Amino acid sequence: MATGRTHRPATRSRGIPEATVARLPLYLRALTALSERSVPTVSSEELAAAAGVNSAKLRKDFSYLGSYGTRGVGYDVEYLVYQISRELGLTQDWPVVIVGIGNLGAALANYGGFASRGFRVAALIDADPAMAGKPVAGIPVQHTDDLEKIIQDNGVSIGVIATPAGAAQPVCDRLVAAGVTSILNFAPTVLSVPDGVDVRKVDLSIELQILAFHEQRKAGEEAAAEAAVPTTTSDAVPATTKDVGAPANAPAAPAAKGARAAARRAGSADQGPDGDVPAVMPA
């Protein structure tokens, strides 16, 4: 089976925009769920809703793949799964090393979704000598002293960094020097890499902070909406401003309404000591 060191995805050579590439995994996840339910075809509207995008954007994205669907029928689910998997490079084996086998690294090693999506965890690497030889997810942990040899022996081009922040850049430098050209970084730091090396950063704390921002904004909007609701007050006009002889519950005469409006527009200079409109209107 081909490995990641000898084959690269075709997306760049085909000129597929990065924004489209970022959405392809979303489409693939939705399509895989449909395939597992034996759904043969899907409309652009249904697939867009499942992937969380609008249907016009989905059709534009699929046009880069040369897939336009069939009017009145939709898209063939199985063919799209194959087509997107091929574009993402998932029809081949991608050996991956995970460096840093703490709580997060161990959780990643135990994640069962790698193998089903074309990724094989080739090695687990940690700097702690006490971890050497300890099995995690059925794979013995190896020491960082052997990092370069492990990468060469397994033909690894994708590395996952799950170390503390201070160790991430030295580990990154060693991975790149050994031939790794794609890095998934879970460490809370920004990595510096040369041209030709791709880095994807996953920072859970930043994602939580963004969610906190949205929660705070929603709370502020709710408070502002509640403050904008008018309180129930009587809009009754004093008896002196009503037409003589009019029923007690009759609407105020037009002249009285106009006088009240003029008083409101007059501002604070014409207000009473408590800020209320004077009871006696000027003639």
Side-chain angles (χ1 to χ4, degrees), residues 114 158-162 182-187 198-202:
F114 285 136
I158 299 177
V160 178
I161 297 178
S182 292
I183 294 173
L184 181 61
N185 178 33
F186 284 90
D198 295 312
V199 176
R200 299 288 295 181
K201 180 173 175 54
V202 180

Side-chain angles (χ1 to χ4, degrees), residues 10-251:
T11 53
R12 289 182 179 177
S13 62
R14 290 170 62 97
I16 299 179
E18 286 295 325
T20 296
V21 174
R23 287 189 289 269
L24 292 181
L26 304 179
Y27 302 141
L28 182 59
R29 181 173 59 188
L31 286 163
T32 300
L34 293 171
S35 177
E36 290 172 351
R37 288 159 35 205
S38 300
V39 176
T41 59
V42 62
S43 69
S44 59
E45 290 78 10
E46 293 169 335
L47 183 54
V53 303
N54 65 65
S55 57
K57 184 175 293 183
L58 177 143
R59 288 190 291 269
K60 180 66 173 178
D61 288 342
F62 284 179
S63 71
Y64 290 110
L65 308 180
S67 183
Y68 299 93
T70 303
R71 183 177 297 277
V73 176
Y75 294 92
D76 183 286
V77 170
E78 292 298 334
Y79 179 68
L80 265 185
V81 167
Y82 165 75
Q83 198 173 21
I84 294 176
S85 297
R86 182 188 62 192
E87 289 296 335
L88 291 174
L90 304 182
T91 55
Q92 59 199 54
D93 175 47
W94 292 98
V96 175
V97 296
I98 301 176
V99 185
I101 313 303
N103 292 333
L104 178 56
L108 293 171
N110 280 282
Y111 174 56
F114 285 136
S116 63
R117 289 167 173 81
F119 302 96
R120 173 175 57 86
V121 178
L124 306 177
I125 305 173
D126 197 272
D128 185 359
M131 290 289 293
K134 180 180 178 180
V136 175
I139 303 172
V141 177
Q142 302 181 65
H143 195 266
T144 50
D145 287 348
D146 301 320
L147 184 147
E148 287 79 8
K149 183 177 185 300
I150 293 168
I151 291 172
Q152 294 297 326
D153 290 349
N154 291 276
V156 174
S157 62
I158 299 177
V160 178
I161 297 178
T163 66
Q169 186 63 57
V171 166
C172 174
D173 293 341
R174 289 182 63 187
L175 288 172
V176 171
V180 169
T181 52
S182 292
I183 294 173
L184 181 61
N185 178 33
F186 284 90
T189 186
V190 177
L191 298 177
S192 176
V193 297
D195 291 341
V197 177
D198 295 312
V199 176
R200 299 288 295 181
K201 180 173 175 54
V202 180
D203 193 320
L204 302 180
S205 64
I206 286 180
E207 298 303 324
L208 287 172
Q209 289 168 23
I210 292 172
L211 290 176
F213 165 80
H214 289 295
E215 285 301 310
Q216 178 176 260
R217 186 182 64 178
K218 286 185 285 188
E221 291 173 348
E222 290 174 359
E226 291 176 359
V229 176
T231 57
T232 303
T233 57
S234 175
D235 195 30
V237 180
T240 56
T241 64
K242 289 190 176 183
D243 291 338
V244 177
N249 60 351

